[in-house]
Amino acid sequence: MVPPRFVRRLVFTPLLFLLTLLVVALFPVTYVVTSLAGRERKRALRLLWFTLVWGTRESAAVLECGWLWLRGRTHDEQHYDVIRRYVAALYATAQRRLGLRVEVDGSGDGSGPGRPLIILSRHAGPGDALLLVHHLLTDYGRRPRVVMKAQLQLDPCVDIAANRMPNVFVTPGGGATGDIGRLARDLGPRDALLIFPEGGNFSPERRRRAIRRLARLRRRHEAARAAAMRNLMPPRPGGVLAALDSAPSADVVFVAHCGLDHMATPGDIWRRVPLTGVVRARWWRIAAADVPGDRDARVRWLYGQWERADAWISANRAPAPK
């Protein structure tokens, strides 16, 4: 359960400022001690720098939101600028300190003025949503609308800024298709609705549970197609169908990526830093006129695109690190 808004604002926002002040105050001493540590010192220093930037940039973003509130501009488009600067700083620091390298094939499929977009992306690894939002805001000049987990509102910046912009927070089993449909209804030419059809971060166990669920629902054909995909969980069509119904003029962009797959736990992140491989992504765009019209055809089409993503990931992902 996510606490009510007033509780989140009274507890987690001051906690963010307190922890950031502690990190800033203790950073010199921690830096020296870490520098004298054993063979893991370089890895620890990289993560220490990233933590410092994360805390200070998020605190700055929350203060910027507070300034906009004082000026009575709680739903102003400047909130997109706040998020753009915040995410761009994290992205740049991840490049410098963590070794992040990203290669996007078909990147132009996320740009181009004049048409709204519905973006359907794989969800796997830490920070893939931030990478997508960064590219949409900074590289493509888009205003992202994101369907995200309600628990992300425990993060003060997400809680304050995202709740002032058109986004949807969903809970497991919460039936958010109506909210997603309303979010897509007034998509403009600069807007992009970002959905993760798998419903959560990929893991082998979640994939197995999703396939068993399809079998229990007697959706055997979908279960068989899902079982043949090794890198993805089966897409949940409800939110996608609601978005397509509400925004029939929107083009659809699919995003497959690999390179963050093996970083599911804090221990995985610790072992993989600095990142030695490249995070690769493939974008492809389908014109609104080429999207099937009826529900069953759309579900089959969605699975077909997901199979295309699965094949691309199999061809481009690096072997699992030992």
Side-chain angles (χ1 to χ4, degrees), residues 201-211 230 233 264:
N201 246 315
F202 173 88
S203 74
E205 178 55 32
R206 285 179 175 174
R207 172 180 171 273
R208 288 189 289 267
R209 287 202 304 265
I211 295 171
R230 310 307 302 175
M233 296 187 291

Side-chain angles (χ1 to χ4, degrees), residues 36-310:
L36 298 176
R39 60 188 180 89
E40 303 291 352
R41 65 182 183 277
K42 290 185 178 180
R43 179 175 297 158
L45 288 173
R46 289 173 184 270
L47 291 170
L48 180 63
W49 270 108
F50 188 77
T51 301
L52 175 68
V53 173
W54 189 304
T56 54
R57 289 303 307 168
E58 174 149 355
S59 297
V62 170
L63 290 173
E64 288 182 79
C65 290
W67 175 242
L68 290 173
W69 176 77
L70 289 173
R71 296 167 63 194
R73 304 176 72 171
T74 55
H75 293 87
D76 193 276
E77 277 205 16
Q78 288 189 30
H79 287 86
Y80 285 110
D81 294 328
V82 172
I83 295 298
R84 178 181 53 78
R85 289 189 292 269
Y86 167 51
V87 176
L90 295 183
Y91 185 88
T93 304
Q95 288 180 309
R96 290 195 302 269
R97 302 295 179 180
L98 305 184
L100 175 67
R101 291 176 293 154
V102 179
E103 294 179 358
V104 180
D105 181 17
S107 59
D109 289 330
S111 60
R115 298 195 65 84
L117 296 179
I118 296 172
I119 298 179
L120 307 178
S121 175
R122 179 198 194 194
H123 202 8
D128 62 343
L130 287 177
L131 293 179
L132 275 167
V133 169
H134 168 72
H135 285 294
L136 289 171
L137 284 168
T138 302
D139 297 336
Y140 308 146
R142 291 280 178 171
R143 298 178 300 195
R145 302 182 178 193
V146 187
V147 179
M148 64 189 101
K149 288 185 177 181
Q151 290 91 331
L152 289 173
Q153 293 173 103
L154 299 177
D155 181 292
C157 183
V158 173
D159 184 26
I160 297 171
N163 273 305
R164 295 181 184 177
M165 298 183 290
N167 296 292
V168 165
F169 292 96
V170 300
T171 56
T177 55
D179 292 332
I180 295 172
R182 285 187 289 274
L183 188 65
R185 193 166 297 150
D186 62 343
L187 284 177
R190 293 176 53 209
D191 296 323
L193 173 58
L194 175 57
I195 304 175
F196 298 95
E198 294 164 297
N201 246 315
F202 173 88
S203 74
E205 178 55 32
R206 285 179 175 174
R207 172 180 171 273
R208 288 189 289 267
R209 287 202 304 265
I211 295 171
R212 290 196 296 266
R213 176 179 174 274
L214 290 173
R216 286 197 305 271
L217 295 173
R218 300 183 182 277
R219 292 156 60 178
R220 296 186 179 90
H221 182 63
E222 292 174 30
R225 295 182 76 173
M229 293 185 284
R230 310 307 302 175
N231 307 295
L232 300 171
M233 296 187 291
R236 299 186 176 191
V240 176
L241 296 176
L244 293 174
D245 287 339
S246 295
S249 64
D251 292 348
V252 182
V253 174
F254 287 87
V255 180
H257 62 80
C258 56
L260 298 172
D261 320 53
H262 308 303
M263 300 174 68
T265 67
D268 292 336
I269 296 172
W270 171 259
R271 288 188 293 272
R272 305 291 183 263
V273 170
L275 303 175
T276 56
V278 177
V279 177
R280 293 185 170 87
R282 175 74 174 95
W283 299 51
W284 66 96
R285 184 170 181 164
I286 297 176
D290 296 327
V291 176
D294 69 87
R295 184 189 189 284
D296 291 340
R298 282 179 171 177
V299 172
R300 292 192 296 270
W301 168 79
L302 177 60
Y303 268 80
Q305 301 301 320
W306 227 236
E307 288 162 346
R308 177 179 175 180
D310 183 72

